[in-house]
């Protein structure tokens, strides 16, 4: 979990582009999840918070932050550590 205020300008832009891509696909498919790409975590995360794997074998993990549980793929979604100021 990386706080939004810890992202630099390039990371914010990259995140914005990815969100825009997801929304574009969802709108074009009229939110029909059967038309979402197989590579999306969406298809693989419904495991009752049990450890599982994506179709390509990548491990899915779960984290609860602020009472909300999220699925993520550690090998793809890396936590950004803030550099300590000296």
């Amino acid at each position: 979990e990386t706080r939004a205020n810890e992202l630099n300008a390039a990371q914010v832009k990259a995140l914005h582009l990815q969100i825009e891509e997801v929304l574009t696909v969802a709108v074009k498919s009229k939110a029909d999840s059967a038309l979402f790409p197989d590579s999306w975590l969406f298809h693989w995360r419904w495991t009752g918070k049990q450890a599982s794997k994506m179709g390509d074998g990548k491990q899915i993990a779960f984290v609860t932050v602020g009472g909300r549980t999220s699925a993520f793929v550690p090998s793809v979604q890396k936590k950004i550590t803030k550099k300590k100021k000296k």
Side-chain angles (χ1 to χ4, degrees):
E1 337 67 85
T2 301
R3 294 176 183 257
N5 67 345
E6 295 175 352
L7 299 174
N8 64 38
Q11 292 165 326
V12 170
K13 184 174 183 165
L15 178 59
H16 179 267
L17 289 172
Q18 292 300 313
I19 292 170
E20 188 174 56
E21 180 181 334
V22 168
L23 291 173
T24 298
V25 171
V27 170
K28 282 184 178 179
S29 68
K30 296 186 171 132
D32 181 350
S33 62
L35 300 176
F36 294 169
D38 289 337
S39 61
W40 281 16
L41 177 60
F42 178 90
H43 297 292
W44 309 98
R45 66 187 175 131
W46 307 109
T47 61
K49 301 178 189 174
Q50 301 296 318
S52 59
K53 293 184 180 182
M54 300 268 297
D56 62 5
K58 291 183 178 117
Q59 189 68 39
I60 299 172
F62 296 86
V63 62
T64 302
V65 178
R68 304 287 301 184
T69 301
S70 295
F72 71 104
V73 180
S75 65
V76 176
Q77 297 164 282
K78 306 281 184 192
K79 181 174 180 178
I80 300 166
T81 55
K82 191 174 179 180
K83 293 181 180 178
K84 295 180 182 179
K85 294 181 181 178
K86 291 183 179 186

